[in-house]
Amino acid sequence: MEKIVSLGKIILSKLEEFGYEAYFVGGFVRDLLLNKKSDDIDITTNALPETVEKLFDKTIATGKKYGTVTVFIEDEKFEVTTYRVEKDYLNHRRPESVLYTNHLEEDLKRRDFTINALAMDRFDKIIDLFQGQADLNNKLIRAIGNPDERFNEDALRMLRAIRFVSKLGFSVEEKTAESIRNNIEKISHLSNERVLVEFKKIFKNSYNKEALKVMENLNVAEIFREFNQGIRVYNNSNYELNFIEFFTMSLFLENAVIPDYWRLSNYDRLMISTILEILYKVRDNGFTPYIVYSYGLSKSLSANRVRLVLYNSPSEEFSIKTIFNNLVIKKRSDLKINGSIIKKNIKNIEPKKIGNLIMEIEYHVVNNLLKNDELDLIKYARNKLENING
Ligand code: ATP
Ligand code: MG
């Protein structure tokens, strides 16, 4: 941490040497004061991106359009962004254009929450224009300025407030919370890609249970109706789910499919629909060897976690793992028979029958109804075909 700060100060000093101002800013300063490690280090300066590129050896124009140049010092990277004000908020969304400014104050004012608007100079002096340190001490997430205006400018900030609850375990300050309640509908104008990023972060962070309570409190389910029952059920349980499991649980409760507007990856969609399928299958008879075999250990355990939240029943984790460990085969290629063995041993077999035959053999082996032995399986296959043909 100290190393990163001193490397960052190389950037601050150099910019000052050339007559510019430069500060650490935002999440990095917040996390530093909280003694937490930050993922990214932001520096704010009145030097223009072109100037930053010229002054440092190793740079990448990561977000030059928004004034950001990444500067590398040794192995660390720093996001150096020119002071800016944001103009023209369209559709309660991100700014249409950025305008640079020469004043730190203006750059800090456009930020979302007081705890995210702290700056620090190279002598470790904190610049705190909005009582961010007091809010840090009181563990409060408070919008800068008039919260209604700020959420109107960018509705995503409402979800960001909840993200910071989840990351820091803080509360949303009362006026800010009231404003979220009143403006929540504006979230529906946001692109789902941006919303999804925030949701995933909310679930990844340590205080996700607290965050979901805040969501319930602030009526977030008015926008995401598919989570209506899910949020309540989740908040009444003692278990934690990841975003995919939470999504699946909510859909199960609503007897619904994934709404079209969610821009989930194909991988996420497949996960959700598979875990849903397991939930419906195990509802009556629980986890069988064939289910654990077919869906694999990790998805079965996910389904188990969802069931813990849904039914508050005892965990079946141990028995699922035992079933998995005791499986005679873990995957189809563990079978001692395959298509070419069948073709070699059984003349005149119609190729289209092979697939179903192997599936049936697999089912029997998994359920210990057949031994996983090549000769036994060939014999079974032969009998089976004679019966079908005869
Ligand atoms: P994290 O550690 O979770 O990344 P962070 O505070 O660094 O938290 P970022 O999303 O990386 O959050 O944003 C960096 C900084 O940019 C914030 O601290 C805040 O000052 C500002 N910021 C980001 N998004 C917005 C926004 N939508 N409206 C206003 N300011 C924002
Ligand atoms: Mg960040």
Side-chain angles (χ1 to χ4, degrees):
M1 200 67 162
E2 272 164 26
K3 168 119 192 275
I4 294 175
V5 174
S6 58
L7 291 177
K9 284 179 182 172
I10 296 175
I11 300 176
L12 303 187
S13 301
K14 182 142 194 189
L15 284 162
E16 284 185 16
E17 206 181 294
F18 282 81
Y20 301 100
E21 301 172 8
Y23 300 87
F24 293 115
V25 74
F28 178 65
V29 180
R30 178 198 66 218
D31 291 346
L32 198 66
L33 294 175
L34 291 172
N35 249 322
K36 279 179 190 265
K37 209 183 158 309
S38 253
D39 302 330
D40 33 43
I41 308 159
D42 287 312
I43 288 174
T44 188
T45 179
N46 60 348
L48 291 172
E50 292 75 23
T51 309
V52 176
E53 281 180 310
K54 271 190 211 131
L55 286 180
F56 298 94
D57 294 338
K58 266 178 82 183
T59 62
I60 301 178
T62 11
K64 213 167 157 190
K65 215 169 87 183
Y66 300 103
T68 304
V69 174
T70 304
V71 176
F72 294 85
I73 305 285
E74 293 183 16
D75 281 340
E76 288 300 334
K77 65 177 189 145
F78 300 85
E79 310 288 335
V80 181
T81 305
T82 306
Y83 292 168
R84 48 178 225 210
V85 284
E86 272 151 22
K87 283 199 62 186
D88 308 330
Y89 286 84
L90 276 189
N91 290 336
H92 320 285
R93 273 197 81 215
R94 78 170 96 216
E96 257 307 280
S97 59
V98 301
L99 274 187
Y100 298 132
T101 162
N102 231 326
H103 304 286
L104 174 67
E105 182 184 345
E106 286 189 281
D107 178 84
L108 295 179
K109 223 162 80 181
R110 58 122 182 139
R111 292 171 187 271
D112 47 7
F113 304 109
T114 62
I115 57 169
N116 287 347
L118 297 161
M120 186 175 94
D121 72 9
R122 68 192 172 95
F123 304 107
D124 297 339
K125 193 182 120 202
I126 302 291
I127 290 95
D128 180 5
L129 303 180
F130 310 101
Q131 283 82 52
Q133 289 177 103
D135 287 335
L136 265 189
N137 289 331
N138 295 322
K139 299 178 182 268
L140 285 177
I141 295 154
R142 182 197 307 270
I144 293 173
N146 178 329
D148 289 341
E149 283 173 18
R150 305 314 307 284
F151 296 142
N152 255 303
E153 287 168 358
D154 184 0
L156 193 75
R157 290 174 184 152
M158 295 186 266
L159 287 179
R160 286 176 56 87
I162 297 166
R163 186 234 284 197
F164 290 114
V165 170
S166 179
K167 181 178 170 119
L168 306 168
F170 285 18
S171 315
V172 182
E173 174 274 330
E174 198 36 57
K175 283 209 181 78
T176 305
E178 194 50 43
S179 175
I180 295 179
R181 253 183 235 111
N182 294 334
N183 289 290
I184 199 74
E185 174 272 323
K186 292 175 183 113
I187 289 181
S188 55
H189 302 291
L190 293 168
S191 82
N192 189 260
E193 282 88 348
R194 291 182 86 204
V195 169
L196 185 58
V197 170
E198 293 303 323
F199 262 95
K200 288 197 165 179
K201 287 189 177 168
I202 289 169
F203 276 87
K204 271 217 181 89
N205 283 319
S206 330
Y207 298 91
N208 89 47
K209 294 242 65 150
E210 282 78 354
L212 267 280
K213 296 223 161 85
V214 172
M215 272 201 193
E216 183 174 1
N217 217 279
L218 299 181
N219 300 330
V220 173
E222 256 180 46
I223 306 302
F224 306 101
R225 292 186 185 276
E226 58 278 22
F227 299 152
N228 197 1
Q229 298 185 67
I231 290 181
R232 256 182 292 124
V233 169
Y234 188 57
N235 285 339
N236 282 322
S237 84
N238 297 318
Y239 300 98
E240 276 194 20
L241 299 178
N242 63 33
F243 179 60
I244 294 299
E245 292 162 355
F246 169 78
F247 209 126
T248 311
M249 187 233 357
S250 298
L251 293 181
F252 185 81
L253 281 167
E254 308 278 346
N255 220 331
V257 292
I258 305 169
D260 284 339
Y261 55 81
W262 280 98
R263 317 301 294 168
L264 296 163
S265 65
N266 288 339
Y267 175 83
D268 287 350
R269 279 177 188 277
L270 185 66
M271 284 298 278
I272 292 174
S273 55
T274 309
I275 301 168
L276 261 182
E277 219 176 284
I278 303 177
L279 288 174
Y280 286 114
K281 284 209 170 138
V282 298
R283 192 157 49 174
D284 297 327
N285 298 317
F287 287 90
T288 62
Y290 193 65
I291 285 175
V292 176
Y293 169 82
S294 312
Y295 294 102
L297 182 62
S298 133
K299 291 191 193 84
S300 300
L301 291 175
S302 273
N304 171 57
R305 279 192 292 277
V306 172
R307 280 164 58 85
L308 293 179
V309 172
L310 284 173
Y311 310 121
N312 232 331
S313 51
S315 173
E316 289 166 89
E317 183 177 327
F318 182 76
S319 92
I320 293 169
K321 284 182 174 164
T322 309
I323 290 175
F324 184 79
N325 290 333
N326 290 334
L327 285 174
V328 184
I329 55 170
K330 301 266 195 282
K331 50 191 187 308
R332 181 168 286 180
S333 57
D334 293 340
L335 270 183
K336 296 283 187 226
I337 200 168
N338 58 35
S340 49
I341 295 178
I342 292 180
K343 267 192 253 166
K344 205 162 71 195
N345 285 280
I346 306 174
K347 307 282 173 239
N348 308 326
I349 182 168
E350 290 174 54
K352 65 172 200 251
K353 284 191 178 151
I354 295 178
N356 277 341
L357 185 59
I358 289 180
M359 236 158 51
E360 196 187 314
I361 290 174
E362 189 179 29
Y363 178 83
H364 280 77
V365 170
V366 170
N367 285 313
N368 281 318
L369 301 169
L370 261 178
K371 227 173 111 197
N372 190 24
D373 172 275
E374 185 172 331
L375 289 181
D376 282 11
L377 297 183
I378 293 171
K379 199 165 122 198
Y380 176 85
R382 237 186 230 126
N383 279 338
K384 191 75 202 174
L385 289 171
E386 270 164 17
N387 282 341
I388 295 173
N389 295 335

